[in-house]
Amino acid sequence: MPTSFQAPKRKSADDKRTVSQSIESNTSKDTTTVATLLKAKEARTIYHVTPENTISDAVAILSEHKIGALPVVAGDGSLAGILSERDIVRKLAQTPGQTLPQSVEENMTRHVETCTADDQLVSVLRRMTDGKFRHMPVVSDGKVTGMVTIGDVVQFRLRELEHEALQLKQMIVG
């Protein structure tokens, strides 16, 4: 008569468990960087405005490209600020009917949180969450080289988790 499967007993020597994540793996130096996310990101074009552009110009770019914020780039290519949908909505509430002709410079956020391509995604996500903003320019040598959104980070991490789950499933089945 065939024998039935018997689950291992507690503290069995054969009980070798593995886990896909641990505190060490999630906080190690090898965690995903902004550069990895930017390589995987579909939209690579960095739309921007200048301080001299009008809010109307910015609204047209935001609407056309279905994005939520624009880095404001000065004439020398350096980051001067950021203009988000929130900035525009606040100004619309303060100056109804007078906002669209105003300059970007009058309405942009001047103190911008930035990151570099070498920053870890977990730290970028933490800074966005703590600061309650959703867009962070990626800067190298004072120039904007990319834009990371909180949605990009979440979507990237979900893909990683799906890949890990698929690998685990294949290990179990195969």
Side-chain angles (χ1 to χ4, degrees):
M1 179 168 269
T3 59
S4 301
F5 170 77
Q6 294 206 352
K9 294 184 171 50
R10 282 188 191 186
K11 299 182 183 178
S12 168
D14 297 332
D15 188 17
K16 305 259 192 254
R17 296 182 183 188
T18 61
V19 292
S20 65
Q21 294 187 26
S22 66
I23 291 174
E24 292 79 21
S25 69
N26 284 340
T27 58
S28 74
K29 298 274 189 230
D30 297 330
T31 57
T32 307
T33 63
V34 170
T36 306
L37 181 143
L38 290 175
K39 285 179 195 169
K41 194 172 171 178
E42 292 175 15
R44 295 177 191 246
T45 304
I46 307 162
Y47 299 102
H48 68 278
V49 288
T50 66
E52 298 77 31
N53 283 121
T54 64
I55 296 297
S56 182
D57 298 332
V59 167
I61 296 168
L62 291 168
S63 176
E64 180 182 345
H65 300 291
K66 297 176 176 62
I67 54 178
L70 292 164
V72 182
V73 178
D76 64 357
S78 65
L79 181 67
I82 192 166
L83 184 72
S84 71
E85 294 167 322
R86 287 181 185 175
D87 295 324
I88 295 168
V89 168
R90 283 188 194 112
K91 198 59 166 186
L92 284 168
Q94 294 169 359
T95 60
Q98 303 167 20
T99 305
L100 294 178
Q102 295 178 18
S103 73
V104 167
E105 186 170 29
E106 295 174 65
N107 299 287
M108 68 185 184
T109 300
R110 293 177 189 280
H111 302 289
V112 184
E113 287 277 337
T114 63
C115 62
T116 68
D118 296 330
D119 286 346
Q120 294 179 11
L121 280 184
V122 67
S123 73
V124 170
L125 183 59
R126 187 172 296 120
R127 288 169 54 200
M128 289 176 154
T129 303
D130 292 346
K132 296 183 179 159
F133 56 90
R134 300 174 299 176
H135 303 84
M136 186 181 286
V138 183
V139 177
S140 177
D141 297 324
K143 310 283 189 228
V144 179
T145 59
M147 181 75 93
V148 175
T149 70
I150 202 161
D152 294 335
V153 178
V154 170
Q155 185 179 40
F156 186 86
R157 186 62 184 131
L158 284 173
R159 275 194 232 127
E160 281 185 328
L161 290 171
E162 288 171 355
H163 181 70
E164 288 175 16
L166 182 60
Q167 286 180 325
L168 285 171
K169 186 175 180 180
Q170 289 173 346
M171 287 174 50
I172 292 169
V173 173

